[in-house]
């Protein structure tokens, strides 16, 4: 009996993921407002009633896919409790913390940058979307400012850089908008973006080394 329930749960989770993947692709391709739930159902290979049963409505589906895109999975674990972020805060030096931050951010932006752009465009014409994220604080800035505070206290950080200034610099350079400009509009491979972002942030936030490694 337990095995049967487990298989049902696995199938339900797989169905949920197919719907989210289909919605993400169509929302980015066509825009949130132009995409019909029937189109999502067709691409996911499910009945449209299944979408209503699992997600209730289109805005809730959008909220779910954004959460999954940010996290990379369905687990309800906040970003700052994820292993990659713990590597940032526990790193022994500012340099290694910055490397972990840029690498982790790259993986997140590869999933979420285009979705973030779509959500911002959709919010302008769909007021109900604004109600999905009622908090006044910016969650991305909260994550970045926490990383910046940890980084500036580690060996190798420039002593003249305050937590707030470091957070602003990181927030700007690791933004979804700039990521899309370089990786989509200018066709940079993501690994080139990662090297550029890391090198640029090193020059801004770390003590200049006399004999940097080649």
């Amino acid at each position: 009996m337990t095995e049967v329930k487990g298989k049902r749960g696995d199938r339900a989770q797989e169905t949920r993921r197919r719907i989210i993947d289909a919605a993400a692709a169509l929302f980015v391709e066509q825009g949130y407002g132009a995409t019909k739930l029937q189109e999502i159902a067709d691409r996911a290979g499910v009945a449209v009633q299944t979408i209503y049963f699992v997600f209730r409505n289109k805005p809730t589906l959008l909220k779910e896919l954004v959460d999954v895109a940010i996290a990379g999975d369905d687990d309800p674990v906040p970003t700052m409790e994820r292993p990659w972020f713990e590597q940032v805060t526990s790193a022994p030096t500012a340099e290694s913390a910055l490397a972990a931050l840029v690498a982790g951010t790259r993986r997140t932006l590869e999933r979420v940058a285009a979705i973030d752009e779509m959500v911002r465009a959709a919010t302008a014409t769909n007021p109900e979307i604004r109600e999905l994220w009622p908090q006044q604080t910016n969650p991305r800035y909260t994550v970045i400012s926490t990383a910046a505070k940890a980084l500036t206290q580690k060996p190798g950080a420039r002593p003249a850089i305050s937590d707030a200034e470091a957070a602003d610099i990181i927030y700007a350079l690791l933004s979804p908008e700039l990521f899309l400009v370089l990786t989509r509009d200018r066709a940079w491979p993501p690994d080139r973006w990662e090297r550029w972002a890391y090198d640029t942030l090193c020059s801004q936030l770390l003590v200049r080394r006399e004999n940097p490694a080649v």
Side-chain angles (χ1 to χ4, degrees):
M1 188 67 174
T2 301
E3 183 178 352
V4 172
K5 289 183 179 179
K7 289 180 178 179
R8 288 176 180 172
D10 290 344
R11 287 198 297 270
Q13 191 69 13
E14 173 60 25
T15 298
R16 186 183 191 89
R17 190 58 196 244
R18 288 207 316 272
I19 294 170
I20 288 174
D21 289 345
L26 287 167
F27 287 163
V28 170
E29 291 170 13
Q30 303 178 170
Y32 173 83
T35 300
K36 303 294 187 289
L37 287 181
Q38 185 62 59
E39 295 176 290
I40 296 171
D42 291 343
R43 180 169 292 200
V46 301
V48 71
Q49 291 85 355
T50 302
I51 297 180
Y52 285 113
F53 177 77
V54 175
F55 296 100
R56 300 199 312 276
N57 55 45
K58 191 175 173 183
T60 302
L61 172 56
L62 175 66
K63 177 66 164 58
E64 287 279 333
L65 78 85
V66 170
D67 290 346
V68 169
I70 292 172
D73 55 46
D74 302 325
D75 296 336
V77 180
T79 297
M80 289 188 290
E81 295 178 15
R82 296 259 164 184
W84 77 264
F85 192 82
E86 292 178 354
Q87 289 178 8
V88 177
T89 56
S90 64
T93 65
E95 185 176 13
S96 56
L98 187 57
L101 177 62
V102 174
T105 301
R106 169 194 163 177
R107 292 190 295 270
T108 301
L109 290 176
E110 287 184 283
R111 297 189 302 267
V112 82
I115 292 173
D116 178 79
E117 182 181 60
M118 173 272 296
V119 170
R120 285 187 285 109
T123 301
T125 54
N126 297 270
E128 73 274 10
I129 294 179
R130 288 192 290 270
E131 300 174 4
L132 298 175
W133 293 278
Q135 69 268 19
Q136 297 299 312
T137 57
N138 182 329
R140 189 171 78 84
Y141 185 80
T142 299
V143 171
I144 292 295
S145 61
T146 301
K149 184 175 182 180
L151 188 149
T152 56
Q153 296 173 354
K154 296 179 184 296
R158 286 176 57 188
I161 294 287
S162 67
D163 296 349
E165 184 178 0
D168 288 345
I169 291 170
I170 298 169
Y171 185 79
L173 283 172
L174 301 188
S175 68
E177 296 88 347
L178 186 52
F179 181 82
L180 288 177
V181 166
L182 294 176
T183 61
R184 183 188 65 190
D185 301 345
R186 301 308 308 158
W188 282 23
D191 60 341
R192 181 182 177 187
W193 173 89
E194 183 177 340
R195 290 193 303 271
W196 170 82
Y198 174 73
D199 290 343
T200 303
L201 287 170
C202 280
S203 70
Q204 294 290 311
L205 303 177
L206 305 185
V207 174
R208 191 182 301 275
R209 291 176 293 173
E210 293 291 335
N211 296 299
V214 177

